Amino acid sequence: MTPVAAERVDFGRHYDERSPITDELRDGQVHMWYWYDRRDDASLTEAVLRMTRKVTDTLGLRPGEHLLDAGCGPGETAVHVARTTGVRVTGITVSGFEIDRANERARAGGVGDRVTIQYGDFMDLSFPDDTFDAVLALESLQNAPDLGRVLGELYRVLRPGGRISLSDFSLESAREPERIRQFMAAIELRELPTLAQWLDHLRTAGFEVEEYTQCGPRVFGRKAKYVEAAMVRQRELVEKFGAPALAEFGRRHHGFFAPRRDQIGYVIIAARKPYR
Ligand SMILES: C[S@@+](CC[C@H](N)C(=O)[O-])C[C@H]1O[C@@H](n2cnc3c(N)ncnc32)[C@H](O)[C@@H]1O
């Protein structure tokens, strides 16, 4: 699906405004969930943590390696990965709220010496070539103003033989385009590639694709499970943020669930920068 708007969105402001509630609701993970079926009674926190595990497992991280978490959110992903694999993580985001929250979370989680979160725009990275052993882009490339350029930057900062894992939305069916338009507008998507287009983007940037999956039926397809699980937290959120802020959060996301369950896919792709 082609871009909805050519102008550049201020994603720093976008996440400064939305991440505090999402951070609370999904325990520091600003991304989608994974439920096996309607009877799966995992909490929302567990369902989003499943996605973190699925996307990071494909990196095969080893103690001492250096990971770039590109578009890191409020930090739970970086903390989880540092704790469970022993890697060093540098996370970048354009949101001031997320930088503060993520650094605080890393300190509280006892991995402040191995997790550093800083401001960084993945369109123009400040790191030298070949800096990282691995790159994670967990639902952040959807915000790229120019996907080719961002993938080029991520390729440049990875060492030869380094791995990248990304996850993001994909277009599965463009019928009823108005529903897709509303979804894209709700989260300011410029582009909604199909799985084949995601793979093309990676290969064009020079990566060798090694593994991919499309698990949309267990992700966007389980939107009813999300609504059910989020409702359980509603009172707590109203107490913390107030009813007007919560209503505004809902208004901003109006349209996100407009597509039919099978129209929005979710891809997880693992690829490698070739060895020299
Ligand atoms: C949907 S959130 C995902 C956050 C995190 N990966 C997670 O799973 O919790 C998208 C993230 O991408 C970041 N982002 C958006 N545009 C960016 C840019 N140009 N450079 C770096 N990060 C960016 C946002 O600040 C936000 O942290």
Side-chain angles (χ1 to χ4, degrees), residues 11 15 28-31 71-74 77 92-95 98 120-122 138-140 142-143:
F11 279 109
Y15 285 101
Q29 304 164 97
V30 183
H31 61 251
C72 60
T77 301
I92 58 158
T93 166
V94 286
S95 156
E98 291 184 348
D121 183 344
F122 48 39
L138 207 173
E139 246 176 77
S140 55
Q142 58 183 251
N143 297 150

Side-chain angles (χ1 to χ4, degrees), residues 208 213 222 240:
E208 289 170 350
T213 188
R222 294 265 171 263
K240 179 152 187 179

